[in-house]
Amino acid sequence: MPITNYQDAKRPVPFPLSKYFWVPVSLATALFMASGPRAAQALPPEFSTDLSGLNTEIPEVLTTTRLRQPKTRVPGSTTVIEGDLIRDLGIKNLYEVFRLVPGMVVNFVASHQPVTTYHGTVHYEQRRMQVLVDGRTAHRATLSDMDWETMPVPLELIERIEVARGPNSAAYGINAFLGSINIITRDPSDSSNLETTITSGSRGYLRSFASTGNGSSNYDWRLSFEKRKFDGFDYQVDDGQRFPFRDGHDINSFLYDSRFNFNRQSNLEFRAGVVDGVKYQDRNKTGELNPLEHPDVDVRDFYLQGKLNHSLSEQHFFHVQASVENFDRRIEYPVSFPDSIAQCLSSNTPIFEYTDVGGNPEQLCLNPQGGPDLYADVNANSEDTRLELEFQDTLLVSDNLKFVSGAGFRKDIFRSDTYFNGRGNNYQSRVFGNVEYSPKTWLTLNAGGNWERTSTTDDSYFSPRLATNFILNHNHAIRIVYSQAVRTPDGFEQDPDWGYTLYNVRPELYSNLEGRRITINDVVEEPQRLTLGNHLEEERLTSQEISYFGQFPLEQALLSLEIRVFRDELRDMISGVIQLQEWTIDNNVEADQKGFELEATLDFPGTRLRASYGYMDQDTRYTGGPILNRDGTINENEQRYQTELLERLSVRHSGSLAVIQDLPLGLKWSGAFYWADEFKTHFERFDTRLVKQVVQPRYTAELAFTMQHYLNRDPELSSDNNIKDANQFFVEAGIRF
Amino acid sequence: MYKGFRQHEKRISRSSFLARHGFWLLFLLFTAPLADHSQAAAPPVAYIAGSGNTALDHHVTQLLEQQLGNTATLKPLADNDLASIRKTPVITIGPTAFSRVRQANREIPVLALLVARKFIQSYIERSPGRISAVYYDVPLLRQALTGKAILPQANRVAMLATTESAELYEPLIDQLKGYDLDAKVFIADTEDQLIPTLIRALSYGDFLLAGPDDTIYNPRNIKHILLTAYRRNRILIGPSQAYVKAGALASSYAPFSSMAKEAGGLLLAYLSTGNFPSPVYPDEYRIEVNQQVARSLNIPLPAREWIAQSVQNMINIDDPEAGP
């Protein structure tokens, strides 16, 4: 009689095997295995009867709490994107992966600068998610934003990406405000002999990747190289006319990953990477003081990371991790000013200052007097260094009681004449912990928290999380989660000293301005709105979640379903504009977010279906002090603008649908549809990929063709982000030995 | 409940056992009492050569004795007996015991227990009727279907082998087509090639099937193989119970009691005819699973009994490689 589903299987068997029956057999087996002749050709080799050596090393499926937890026990909804899914769907850039995550959106600001976030909020200076690459904080140290285009993570090396949806400050600290992204790359011991891929496509897309590695009992290593070139958007629009848009990049990454195995209890992971290249920026979109040339960014980053893992026993293990990351960005470009501004700079007169001329206010600095223009060079160079030290201890008292705890210290060093007028430091220290307790098979309780102190606010914060998971039939769980999180302003938000120093001033007439630093106070347009110098407080978030996770084994398929219902209160949110002429950020907005999200996969033999959907309703209110016009009246438009800024990436509906289908003759097809609404217009794109795979005993080769079709031709966020052709094509070839 | 299950188990096993060895049982049933009445002769003797593992040898001997009852007597084999044995059968436990007996005296009729088919096959071909066995390894088809029962959505099976051991999987690849499963063997001849080849195998297969190939699956490699597989959310099925304890997700296995029943039948046949029948697989298989691994990988794991029954239901009865 065919078996139709697992439900029958889960019924108690009429005559359950008594464990006592197996005692003698198990004993005999264990003894047999332990002392059996090693020369035996057919007898099993020696093993102990437990998960010797593996218990501490089975890869952490979910890192939401830093404990290894199955989805039924994890205190919150977590999306896991496997590297194979990314590659099967033909995703071309790391940041595009996040369109697969319910509630996450992806878009671009400035010169094709990708921005992605969970539950939206602002588009510029998005820094409300903690992003980790192999446990290393990935966002920049001082400006705190994510530079996805230069992140040294080749798609081929991604093992999986875990996105903890919802505040995760309880585990990862103050930047894990809306959620956390944990990018886990392939273990160095899992390296191919040689692997290479090259992809070429529309808009100058070129990506080449090569990796080689080897392993032994004591030392595993991998060397990787990736080159990424892309032209970005095709054109920008000004006064109805199209102009070329310089917003591509040409980035090279060299990576070294290794593991030194000292003995069965200890190993050291060591990673190093160098990122070198250019990010092209358009002078009409980027760069202060009206650049004369494109202010391209010369990227010279590196990182070093060491992680010592040690097991005291099968149930007790810890790691110590230290890392150094350096982000060195060189931006140099010429600027020019009319003689009137040069004179104002000489006399320290604010450029936008109004002077009463015959009863009429006039901006005299903006009225050229016929003299020669001033030319000079400026730079926006910055070098950030982050030093991070972390200790984490895991104690598995039993399968029902698990602890993880630890402490961390971080030092951010920033060196920039432009942004900080020199050098400064920020310090963060934290203590964290989580306990998972399962008093019954149907009940798991999680309690965790993170205490942190940061010098940016000279204050300390505690972010707790409490969760109860009701587990039904091993495969289903209902979670009730309460958590709080904070985000503190970064060093630049809190304590900027922003100014551009004029070098190589010409003509000689203006030589007195050589070395003159043009600051916010020189160029601010509306001084009454300036918030520079205001002490910023932390943003706070209180989140409540009820979620369900279930797996339904069907006759020929497996259905996995996760539904999250949430209600978040965001308070003292920092909103406003960060520009040299307009510095208006403050803790002036609050928002309530509520909605639900769904993620489902259905795996049939040879077919995989995946769906994600997020619905979010955001109610945003201005709570700051009154913003005044020059005449002292309240500027309601500006207050509304401040609230709208916090909604730029907050979309009501977003989601994805994907199909991966095995075909005969070694072919595989995939299709994916992504959408998000309530930017300025909808984002809608359909991707399709056909790959021919040749699997031989000694090598695997692939040839793939990908097409992206943009259903909506209108730019979603900025009117300058335009693509000429709705269809984008990519060809990819790869071989792995 | 416990007693009830044992009765149930006995009922099922006995019927199967009767079907396979009924003739010899009946023969002995009728001839043994006659012998008792006529001359009260002692039951025939069979030697047993242990593996050296006292607990295991004792357990297997006990099960065999229960199975044989009064129809035969088991006597431990001493080394100085080896040269003089001519027709008295010897039961060996494990391949080392078999090799020891075989090397000492090639004429001895041997019933080999706890040996893999690959190990014993050539001896049986050389000495048909004088050597038989109850295979210890699980038929690969049964292992593959164990994976299919746990992952019903699976349709590709990957296997790792060396050039020499690849033939182990050859019959299986054709067999699996009948079960809507595609299979490929990936060759790793050196240690350096193991993990790169495994990575490609894991990209291809929905799960990794391990056969009794100790050049690939051995204590030195297994941890690395398992960790690599689990990092890719792929599971390992097989090759034996011991590997499940070490971290493989599941494996079919034959309980010792089932092997003892088959051994009893083969021995009785020899005692009656002077020739061993062909070697057999046990007629009952169970499933060992690793719940911790399943939980860690978010794999919903049915009850072990359900998996075993599901595998049994899937197996094509006419499939010679499937075992009983």
Side-chain angles (χ1 to χ4, degrees):
Chain A
M1 191 170 75
I3 292 172
T4 53
N5 61 54
Y6 276 55
Q7 302 312 316
D8 290 340
K10 292 295 180 188
R11 288 185 196 138
V13 288
F15 305 102
L17 274 175
S18 164
K19 60 184 176 184
Y20 303 111
F21 175 74
W22 290 104
V23 168
V25 177
S26 303
L27 178 66
T29 309
L31 289 170
F32 179 55
M33 303 315 168
S35 58
R38 288 301 308 274
Q41 294 177 46
L43 286 186
E46 290 180 17
F47 291 114
S48 62
T49 53
D50 59 10
L51 291 173
S52 178
L54 274 174
N55 197 28
T56 59
E57 295 185 56
I58 293 176
E60 294 178 354
V61 175
L62 296 173
T63 51
T64 303
T65 62
R66 294 170 178 259
L67 269 175
R68 181 178 68 244
Q69 290 176 304
K71 274 201 160 189
T72 48
R73 286 187 175 184
V74 74
S77 301
T78 305
T79 296
V80 180
I81 307 285
E82 293 164 10
D84 284 344
L85 178 68
I86 296 168
R87 294 181 280 274
D88 282 343
L89 292 179
I91 291 171
K92 301 297 172 209
N93 298 291
L94 176 60
Y95 48 84
E96 292 185 303
V97 170
F98 301 107
R99 290 196 174 107
L100 294 166
V101 181
M104 286 195 77
V105 292
V106 179
N107 220 302
F108 301 90
V109 296
S111 296
H112 200 278
Q113 183 181 328
V115 54
T116 180
T117 178
Y118 177 68
H119 284 185
T121 73
V122 300
H123 56 328
Y124 275 95
E125 289 89 31
Q126 177 54 250
R127 59 195 68 164
R128 294 190 170 93
M129 292 189 81
Q130 171 69 303
V131 182
L132 300 165
V133 179
D134 296 320
R136 189 179 67 248
T137 305
H139 59 74
R140 292 176 61 190
T142 50
L143 304 180
S144 295
D145 53 340
M146 285 301 308
D147 194 345
W148 290 99
E149 285 182 334
T150 61
M151 191 183 286
V153 181
L155 296 174
E156 287 80 358
L157 291 186
I158 296 174
E159 191 68 69
R160 66 183 189 281
I161 298 175
E162 295 180 6
V163 181
R165 287 150 45 211
N168 204 7
S169 290
Y172 291 103
I174 53 179
N175 258 78
F177 188 70
L178 297 172
S180 64
I181 296 172
N182 199 354
I183 300 171
I184 298 158
T185 65
R186 281 191 206 163
D187 193 271
S189 62
D190 297 352
S191 301
S192 292
N193 282 341
L194 179 65
E195 177 179 357
T196 181
T197 310
I198 185 158
T199 311
S200 179
S202 299
R203 289 189 277 157
Y205 183 93
L206 176 69
R207 200 172 70 81
S208 53
F209 167 79
S211 167
T212 185
N214 211 330
S216 67
S217 56
N218 299 325
Y219 172 52
D220 304 305
W221 62 273
R222 178 180 62 223
L223 275 175
S224 314
F225 167 75
E226 187 192 37
K227 182 176 189 65
R228 288 196 293 251
K229 279 182 76 174
F230 188 45
D231 291 345
F233 292 110
D234 286 320
Y235 63 91
Q236 55 187 318
V237 175
D238 193 13
D239 283 340
Q241 284 192 302
R242 294 181 177 187
F243 295 93
F245 198 169
R246 184 180 176 87
D247 59 350
H249 58 258
D250 184 352
I251 301 293
N252 304 307
S253 306
F254 301 89
L255 312 174
Y256 168 73
D257 299 83
S258 64
R259 182 197 298 273
F260 298 87
N261 298 302
F262 303 124
N263 49 48
R264 283 176 65 86
Q265 286 77 40
S266 305
N267 66 68
L268 174 70
E269 296 171 42
F270 180 73
R271 302 172 192 273
V274 176
V275 181
D276 178 81
V278 182
K279 286 184 68 176
Y280 302 112
Q281 299 201 109
D282 196 283
R283 67 189 187 94
N284 294 315
K285 294 287 289 186
T286 316
E288 298 287 350
L289 306 178
N290 299 323
L292 289 177
E293 295 175 7
H294 296 299
D296 296 338
V297 185
D298 185 6
V299 178
R300 304 173 193 179
D301 298 347
F302 72 84
Y303 67 85
L304 300 168
Q305 178 184 4
K307 185 180 178 187
L308 177 67
N309 301 293
H310 182 73
S311 299
L312 297 167
S313 70
E314 294 294 316
Q315 288 76 37
H316 192 187
F317 41 94
F318 67 84
H319 75 239
V320 180
Q321 178 173 282
S323 65
V324 180
E325 288 175 274
N326 200 70
F327 301 91
D328 188 358
R329 307 300 166 95
R330 307 291 172 91
I331 307 172
E332 292 172 2
Y333 54 92
V335 293
S336 76
F337 306 111
D339 59 339
S340 54
I341 289 181
Q343 285 167 13
C344 287
L345 289 174
S346 298
S347 61
N348 293 326
T349 305
I351 289 168
F352 291 95
E353 184 177 81
Y354 284 85
T355 305
D356 190 350
V357 181
N360 294 323
E362 284 189 22
Q363 294 176 303
L364 297 178
C365 297
L366 303 183
N367 293 331
Q369 302 298 309
D373 287 350
L374 176 152
Y375 291 88
D377 297 330
V378 297
N379 74 65
N381 299 339
S382 70
E383 186 171 2
D384 312 344
T385 306
R386 175 187 295 119
L387 305 171
E388 226 173 356
L389 184 67
E390 180 183 275
F391 170 79
Q392 180 179 313
D393 180 84
T394 305
L395 176 62
L396 310 175
V397 178
S398 70
D399 192 41
N400 299 327
L401 184 61
K402 300 172 182 177
F403 295 93
V404 62
S405 58
F409 172 77
R410 199 175 103 188
K411 179 181 181 182
D412 294 340
I413 306 162
F414 36 86
R415 294 172 288 266
S416 173
D417 289 341
T418 306
Y419 295 111
F420 298 100
N421 198 17
R423 175 190 168 118
N425 304 305
N426 279 333
Y427 300 93
Q428 276 178 225
S429 48
R430 66 178 186 271
V431 179
F432 56 85
N434 189 84
V435 57
E436 178 202 288
Y437 177 48
S438 304
K440 305 285 182 188
T441 53
W442 52 268
L443 180 67
T444 294
L445 306 170
N446 274 281
N450 179 84
W451 178 90
E452 195 156 14
R453 181 167 187 84
T454 175
S455 66
T456 54
T457 56
D458 273 332
D459 210 341
S460 57
Y461 309 96
F462 180 67
S463 305
R465 174 169 50 207
L466 296 167
T468 304
N469 290 26
F470 298 98
I471 300 162
L472 316 170
N473 200 17
H474 299 293
N475 300 335
H476 307 266
I478 294 171
R479 314 180 188 106
I480 299 172
V481 188
Y482 173 86
S483 58
Q484 291 181 341
V486 295
R487 183 189 81 86
T488 54
D490 63 57
F492 186 58
E493 283 175 303
Q494 184 69 285
D495 198 16
D497 188 348
W498 195 2
Y500 292 82
T501 303
L502 303 179
Y503 297 105
N504 301 323
V505 177
R506 53 212 182 264
E508 184 65 25
L509 173 66
Y510 303 117
S511 60
N512 62 315
L513 291 175
E514 179 73 25
R516 169 72 158 87
R517 192 162 186 265
I518 303 174
T519 65
I520 291 175
N521 289 320
D522 288 316
V523 297
V524 62
E525 286 193 55
E526 298 191 56
Q528 79 284 359
R529 287 169 45 197
L530 195 65
T531 59
L532 190 68
N534 290 6
H535 183 77
L536 295 172
E537 300 294 342
E538 77 281 6
E539 297 177 342
R540 291 176 290 114
L541 192 161
T542 303
S543 174
Q544 298 161 68
E545 166 183 330
I546 297 178
S547 58
Y548 163 79
F549 170 73
Q551 288 179 300
F552 301 87
L554 309 173
E555 187 178 357
Q556 286 283 309
L558 177 66
L559 171 65
S560 300
L561 179 66
E562 188 163 64
I563 299 169
R564 176 176 196 253
V565 181
F566 61 90
R567 182 184 175 83
D568 296 347
E569 294 175 354
L570 294 79
R571 298 292 179 264
D572 293 332
M573 300 298 288
I574 298 171
S575 185
V577 175
I578 296 179
Q579 288 182 3
L580 198 65
Q581 293 173 234
E582 187 180 3
W583 183 280
T584 60
I585 57 170
D586 208 347
N587 296 98
N588 53 14
V589 177
E590 68 177 30
D592 292 333
Q593 296 180 333
K594 58 187 176 187
F596 69 95
E597 289 153 8
L598 178 149
E599 183 180 349
T601 57
L602 184 57
D603 286 308
F604 289 100
T607 306
R608 181 167 217 210
L609 307 172
R610 187 183 186 282
S612 66
Y613 172 73
Y615 171 84
M616 186 176 75
D617 180 32
Q618 179 172 321
D619 178 24
T620 319
R621 300 173 292 278
Y622 182 80
T623 56
I627 297 177
L628 302 177
N629 290 310
R630 294 176 60 82
D631 60 6
T633 58
I634 292 176
N635 187 338
E636 291 186 355
N637 284 341
E638 183 59 26
Q639 292 184 175
R640 195 176 308 116
Y641 177 67
Q642 299 268 350
T643 62
E644 285 171 359
L645 284 176
L646 206 79
E647 297 175 338
R648 283 290 167 88
L649 290 183
S650 301
V651 302
R652 189 174 294 268
H653 305 279
S654 61
S656 66
L657 291 169
V659 184
I660 301 169
Q661 175 68 53
D662 288 344
L663 300 173
L665 305 173
L667 293 166
K668 187 186 277 189
W669 173 82
S670 71
F673 177 63
Y674 309 96
W675 82 94
D677 74 347
E678 293 193 3
F679 296 122
K680 284 181 179 170
T681 65
H682 294 188
F683 172 82
E684 292 174 339
R685 198 177 83 190
F686 176 72
D687 291 7
T688 184
R689 179 177 188 253
L690 185 67
V691 58
K692 166 71 179 173
Q693 199 172 49
V694 180
V695 181
Q696 292 295 315
R698 295 186 188 280
Y699 69 90
T700 300
E702 279 189 355
L703 183 64
F705 174 77
T706 304
M707 187 184 85
Q708 299 173 345
H709 177 72
Y710 287 82
L711 281 81
N712 177 26
R713 303 301 311 281
D714 297 326
E716 307 101 41
L717 206 56
S718 165
S719 58
D720 290 326
N721 295 348
N722 296 284
I723 298 169
K724 275 182 191 164
D725 192 343
N727 297 318
Q728 306 281 300
F729 302 97
F730 303 88
V731 178
E732 174 189 338
I735 190 161
R736 194 185 306 161
F737 295 96
Chain B
M1 194 68 91
Y2 165 59
K3 191 178 173 188
F5 173 76
R6 293 294 300 274
Q7 286 167 348
H8 174 74
E9 182 193 37
K10 279 181 181 170
R11 191 171 62 245
I12 293 172
S13 304
R14 188 176 295 143
S15 60
S16 163
F17 183 71
L18 281 171
R20 301 174 69 178
H21 307 295
F23 172 78
W24 307 114
L25 280 175
L26 284 171
F27 179 83
L28 281 165
L29 204 64
F30 285 105
T31 54
L34 287 175
D36 267 349
H37 282 292
S38 58
Q39 50 184 327
V45 169
Y47 287 105
I48 188 151
S51 65
N53 181 322
T54 313
L56 174 71
D57 295 343
H58 179 68
H59 183 65
V60 172
T61 306
Q62 213 171 26
L63 288 171
L64 280 169
E65 283 172 346
Q66 285 170 13
Q67 188 60 42
L68 296 167
N70 295 326
T71 55
T73 301
L74 295 181
K75 191 176 164 189
L77 179 69
D79 282 347
N80 52 13
D81 294 334
L82 283 168
S84 58
I85 294 173
R86 287 293 172 265
K87 293 197 172 175
T88 308
V90 174
I91 301 168
T92 60
I93 302 175
T96 306
F98 174 85
S99 300
R100 184 162 57 90
V101 171
R102 182 75 177 165
Q103 282 161 18
N105 184 344
R106 294 169 66 88
E107 300 304 312
I108 295 178
V110 182
L111 174 60
L113 304 185
L114 298 178
V115 292
R117 179 185 176 135
K118 183 183 164 192
F119 171 80
I120 202 75
Q121 202 159 16
S122 59
Y123 295 103
I124 292 169
E125 285 165 7
R126 285 199 294 273
S127 307
R130 294 199 66 73
I131 292 179
S132 190
V134 179
Y135 295 137
Y136 180 70
D137 53 320
V138 182
L140 282 172
L141 177 64
R142 189 172 279 276
Q143 293 284 44
L145 295 180
T146 303
K148 175 72 175 173
I150 292 169
L151 298 179
Q153 72 275 22
N155 71 334
R156 284 177 166 186
V157 185
M159 291 157 291
L160 272 183
T162 60
T163 305
E164 283 80 34
S165 63
E167 63 178 331
L168 179 70
Y169 299 101
E170 279 299 316
L172 178 69
I173 293 173
D174 293 331
Q175 276 180 305
L176 288 178
K177 286 176 185 158
Y179 297 87
D180 292 329
L181 285 168
D182 290 328
K184 269 191 195 302
V185 178
F186 294 80
I187 302 294
D189 279 330
T190 65
E191 205 161 308
D192 283 354
Q193 291 171 352
L194 180 68
I195 295 304
T197 308
L198 174 64
I199 291 167
R200 295 193 302 108
L202 296 171
S203 300
Y204 170 82
D206 296 308
F207 63 89
L208 186 69
L209 176 67
D213 176 5
D214 56 4
T215 53
I216 298 287
Y217 300 100
N218 57 50
R220 198 177 61 255
N221 291 343
I222 188 63
K223 183 174 156 187
H224 211 151
I225 290 173
L226 286 168
L227 289 176
T228 305
Y230 293 156
R231 278 193 275 267
R232 282 164 175 72
N233 222 29
R234 293 284 190 270
I235 60 171
L236 177 73
I237 299 292
S240 69
Q241 260 180 303
Y243 283 85
V244 176
K245 288 181 170 62
L249 183 73
S251 177
S252 284
Y253 71 96
F256 282 148
S257 56
S258 176
M259 288 189 266
K261 281 174 199 154
E262 298 300 332
L266 295 174
L267 186 65
L268 293 180
Y270 177 83
L271 293 175
S272 303
T273 66
N275 280 306
F276 276 119
S278 299
V280 294
Y281 280 104
D283 69 344
E284 183 198 353
Y285 286 89
R286 295 177 189 162
I287 307 289
E288 184 76 270
V289 296
N290 192 318
Q291 295 282 359
Q292 185 180 338
V293 169
R295 270 203 306 275
S296 294
L297 298 178
N298 289 314
I299 291 171
L301 207 52
R304 298 191 312 169
E305 294 77 10
W306 184 92
I307 301 170
Q309 187 59 49
S310 175
V311 171
Q312 194 60 46
N313 291 349
M314 275 191 274
I315 282 181
N316 184 345
I317 200 82
D318 299 325
D319 219 322
E321 296 296 328

